Amino acid sequence: VESDAESVASTVPDSDRGEDGPPTEPGPEESAAGPCEEKADSAPAAQELQNSLVEEQESAFPGLQPEDYRARLQAAKAVAEELRSKEPLLQNGQRTVRDNPNFVQTFFKASRLHFIGVWRERYEEILDSLPPPPPRPALRGKSVFLHIDMDCFFASVATRGRTQTFAGLPVAVAWGTGSSSEISSANYCARAYGIRAGMWAGEAFQLCPDLVVMPYEFDAIMETAELFYRSVLETTPYVQGISCDEVFADVSHLVQDDVRSWQALARKIRADIWSRSGCVASIGVAKNRLLARLATKFAKPRPGCRKCGKAALDRAGEESGLRPCDEHAGIFLLEESSECLAALPARELPGVGPESEKQLQKSGVQTVGDLRTVPLAKLRELFGEKQAQSLFRLCRGIDDRPWDPRPARKSVGAQIAWGVRFEGSEALRRFVAELTTEALRRLERHGRRGSSLTVKVWKARPDAPHCGGVGSGGCDILSRSAQFATDPGLAPAAVEATCAEAWRLCESTGATPAQVRGFGIHIGGLEKAQPSIPSLIESRKPQSLEKVILHLDVDCFFLAVHEKYDPSLKEAGPLVLWQYNDVICISPEAKAAGVKKHMRPSEAQPLVDSIGGRMVHAFSRRWPGPRVWYGPYQTISREMFAHLHRLLAEEPGGFILERLSIDEARDVSDVLAPYSPERVVCFVEAFLEASEAVAGADRYAQAKSLAQKLVTELQATIGVRVSVGIAPNRLLAKLGSIAAKPPRGDGICIVEGPDSCASPAFERLET
DNA sequence: ATCCTCCCCTAC
DNA sequence: TAAGGTAGGGGAGGAT
Ligand SMILES: Nc1ccn([C@H]2C[C@H](O)[C@@H](COP(=O)(O)OP(=O)(O)OP(=O)(O)O)O2)c(=O)n1
Ligand SMILES: [Mg+2]
Ligand SMILES: [Mg+2]
């Protein structure tokens, strides 16, 4: 075990890098530094490093001779070229949605970000095939967590089994060698030149012309990930998979309270992973997951360090009969009191990304130790409540997140922002439909139903530099969402309705087809699968009928509820309801006296006194602590809706009643697609407009008589007064119900259009 | 107080 | 040539 803990270090005399700093951002100059190697320090350091690598190769790996560095480099590039030439995904020259009729599926097959994004699906399958883990045994001694992460995972799969050729060569994984081919993983030799994941091949070749770019082999990567997980899962069922090459394991129950026992376990796991998968892992050990995650950073090989490289190579070299070596053991124990933790750049903390790093640097914070000196109040100003709490704990090594190895999925989606170019809106509409269908297929695989739909549109920035590639370039990413039910299942009508809604949201961003560089769709509000409302999609309203929407809103709802429970309030004059430091409901008389919503109660009090009214406090309860209690309002609200349903059921024709808030409802006879399952309280077979009686020229008069009936009935049975707006859409209906409020209105307001309303109150509505 | 939408940030 | 995805947390501002 390489450890910063003195007691451990003293038991592990072999370690020759325990006191070295963490491996952060090493360039070629830095990379060979430290106890591993002498320092290469001049500008042509890269060249020097390369030269020394050549020598090193020739002297250090007798098992790998007889070929020299140059010859093997050429052979390696030939292997890469051969793989590319046989790769079907690289055969056609179709790169954009315009060139390829099957663009969406081809893209996902070739996308490594899609691959690592959907890895969790396979992982869940593996877990489902195993017996469910018993509850974790009660903790007897200390907690011990491992964080296990494969070294340069994709790159190591790419070179596995090809040691004779690839040993000591700089290797990266990407589809191509062109300038804007993005690198997903670089081996530690390549990292010595500064090559990193996310970098484009163009830049990488400038740093290192010898770089060997190997193509993806997703099947091999997935199989390797499975071998990796099998190894970990056979050690303990208490694992939390983080990605295809990374896992946490709670091994508290497997070890003694003794670092030697932790070391032995980590070594065993590491050896097992290597013997099964042929790839090397690094392991962080600590008392919590946060510290274990950070420990792994110290366990990783030093870029360009020949001993680290040699260790890995020797292990890989077992193929060629070399002895496995566990110097540079790839295991690190980290404690929160460690000096190397305090010296770690704050950016290395999980949760601190590029933006937070900038924020922190503005306040002079570079390291984890610096961050510890920042008071919580200052962090709050910079980051807000939750992030401040999180940073405060992160830098102190505190991590008490609950152990939830399989958190329930909350959303599912699909997006593409590469190769997306459109000339007209028809092609964009088809693309939206394709991705929406793909997202529904993914939802269907989970058998869940969703209640919200979010679309994202990548819109090219007008000032973005024009580049020849097919990437997205500089974009603003716009999003729009709606409450919209999606059921599992791919019934054509349901798919069509979802596509229509997605298209509506896409259009509402205002991006023109020529500006669009990407599109994504996400289904959220996932619930357990339930039988849905089968008639919804089938019973589509004929398009030709004019819509009539009613918006109902109870007058002074909370006060009306108080009057029900305390009839004396009815004669008490002007009333003002308050809670905490907030006025929340005002009777018309009190309004006339100048009381405003959200006024401080102390300001409202004198106004109320001057007109002989009363301040009424919201319902509250004492137990388990003093708190406002909304129970009575909820009760009356439910009664009111139940009664509305009964009334509507007796009417000829059909209605959809949508519950908008505790006291609002509207008839959403027009709404087919954007209905929300929680909000649709009632669903009846046909629609208002479908009824002969309400359709036609006098539909507003018909709607008004319905409204009058509802108002009277609700007054009589529930004791609340409702104002109603009647209009051809929801916006106008809602405005109508405001204009209908007494004293300005008479309870019902018909708004046939924005400029055609008989009520003067409607004209006077404030912005 | 609480919910919702849009946006930003982050980890893989 | 080249495949810049998936998902969650949380803040600001607006609503009831
Ligand atoms: N920007 C990125 C980062 C990662 N990956 C893929 C390729 C990596 O091999 C794999 C695992 O990611 P890691 O962060 O664990 O990186 P590596 O395993 O490559 O290197 P390390 O040794 O630092 O873990 O995910 C990617 O495609 N693009
Ligand atoms: Mg890794
Ligand atoms: Mg990883």
Side-chain angles (χ1 to χ4, degrees), chain A residues 326-380:
Chain A
D326 71 355
E327 271 174 18
H328 295 244
I331 297 169
F332 199 88
L333 170 73
L334 186 63
E335 299 181 327
E336 75 266 57
S337 58
S338 156
E339 282 170 25
C340 53
L341 177 55
L344 196 66
R347 172 67 174 83
E348 307 268 343
L349 294 171
V352 178
E355 295 303 315
S356 309
E357 182 187 31
K358 275 187 226 158
Q359 279 289 318
L360 290 172
Q361 278 171 353
K362 278 195 244 163
S363 312
V365 172
Q366 303 285 348
T367 66
V368 169
D370 299 341
L371 185 50
R372 286 183 194 156
T373 68
V374 183
L376 189 55
K378 175 85 186 298
L379 293 175
R380 274 202 193 95

Side-chain angles (χ1 to χ4, degrees), chain A residues 35-105:
Chain A
C36 296
E37 276 307 327
E38 79 283 2
K39 191 163 181 157
D41 58 356
S42 58
Q47 188 56 48
E48 204 174 295
L49 179 67
Q50 187 192 302
N51 292 341
S52 66
L53 277 171
V54 175
E55 291 161 29
E56 182 77 16
Q57 288 304 307
E58 284 158 2
S59 61
F61 300 103
L64 298 174
Q65 53 179 289
E67 295 164 291
D68 69 359
Y69 177 88
R70 283 277 146 219
R72 285 193 302 107
L73 179 62
Q74 245 185 353
K77 293 208 173 192
V79 169
E81 200 50 57
E82 164 83 1
L83 287 171
R84 273 193 291 273
S85 72
K86 285 199 307 221
E87 172 56 61
L89 286 168
L90 293 172
Q91 298 319 309
N92 58 33
Q94 305 168 322
R95 291 192 306 160
T96 73
V97 62
R98 279 196 297 235
D99 317 322
N100 184 346
N102 200 22
F103 178 75
V104 168
Q105 294 312 318

Side-chain angles (χ1 to χ4, degrees), chain A residues 82 137 159 172 181 293 404 492 495 687 756:
Chain A
E82 164 83 1
T159 58
S181 180
R293 171 78 193 83
D404 182 5
V495 173
F687 300 97
S756 59

Side-chain angles (χ1 to χ4, degrees), chain A residues 149-150 245 300:
Chain A
D149 186 298
M150 305 296 278
D245 85 327
K300 288 283 178 184

Side-chain angles (χ1 to χ4, degrees), chain A residues 670-694:
Chain A
D670 68 317
V671 180
L672 291 166
Y675 90 103
S676 138
E678 316 99 286
R679 286 184 166 181
V680 173
V681 177
C682 167
F683 181 81
V684 194
E685 265 301 304
F687 300 97
L688 182 63
E689 298 89 338
S691 125
E692 283 294 314
V694 184

